[in-house]
Amino acid sequence: MSIDNSITEQKLAGALTAETTELIPYLPYLLQDLWELGSSPTDMIRLVKENIKTSSETQVIDLGCGKGAVTVSLCRELGVRAKGIDLLPEFIEVAREKAKEFGVAHLCEFAVQDINVSVSSLSGYDIAVLGAVGDVLGNPAETLGKLKKVVRSNGYILIDEAFLEGEQKDVRYQNYEYLTKAQWKDIFQEAGVELVAELTYQDSPEADETNDYNNRMIRRRAEELSERYPDKRRMFEGYVKSQEEECDDLNGVISGVTWLLKLL
């Protein structure tokens, strides 16, 4: 299966609110202070604990795992076995270090891969995680179609996304086309998956505090890079602006959500 790397990189950049692939080499530096990248491990653990009977035999695949926060946390809290895949080697290196730090390296496996390639050969997992990676696997229907092939019959999908509360024209971060909750539910039905449970941004009281901290750290690193590469200052400032705009949107026009889906 052939994948256009330039398209993958564009989608990766978009998933991390970078407006240009030129920023990709600088993302590890910009995000060095953050372990959790987008998805909330706490929310995903809660959804699994409350709705799925797990054991040491439970197999989890985390597609676009970033620095492994969700992968490591699931293994640590639930004792499951998990594999995390991400395109950035620097992120995978941190993930492996975190697995050792939390004593779950024997339960975790990490690989540097393009998840668009990986999904064509993966199958039989009990739970597939897709955390805040936007349209890297395609539009919502295409994404669910690919994820269904990765999990076993009656398996589960954990997906971190956002839905439109107001109008798209009111969204500050305009590099992503959001769907309404009703549109998402129609897609779930058409894809043959059942919505088992959900947690929204509003269900996570610490979310605003976390986002404020993340934005401060990213701005600090962007300023350091701007001093080092003054010709790229506008690009770094644009990244900070995109991050802040997305956080502003989450306080009004869109709602961040983690869905637990089950194959019918």
Side-chain angles (χ1 to χ4, degrees), residues 20-36:
T20 171
T21 57
E22 186 183 352
L23 191 66
I24 290 177
Y26 302 98
L27 287 173
Y29 190 93
L30 287 162
L31 300 173
Q32 65 180 282
D33 304 291
L34 284 57
W35 185 32
E36 299 177 14

Side-chain angles (χ1 to χ4, degrees), residues 135-192:
D135 61 353
V136 170
L137 290 178
N139 64 39
E142 292 169 338
T143 296
L144 288 175
K146 292 175 181 178
L147 293 176
K148 284 179 64 178
K149 295 178 181 178
V150 170
V151 299
R152 61 169 174 77
S153 176
N154 295 318
Y156 294 86
I157 296 170
L158 271 168
I159 184 167
D160 186 296
E161 251 292 345
F163 58 84
L164 195 62
E165 292 273 18
E167 300 290 335
Q168 180 68 34
K169 64 180 177 62
D170 297 324
V171 175
R172 293 190 65 196
Y173 180 68
Q174 283 288 336
N175 287 352
Y176 190 72
E177 189 74 24
Y178 293 97
L179 301 179
T180 65
K181 192 173 186 178
Q183 288 173 318
W184 272 107
K185 287 187 174 181
D186 287 342
I187 290 171
F188 294 157
Q189 184 174 7
E190 292 170 6

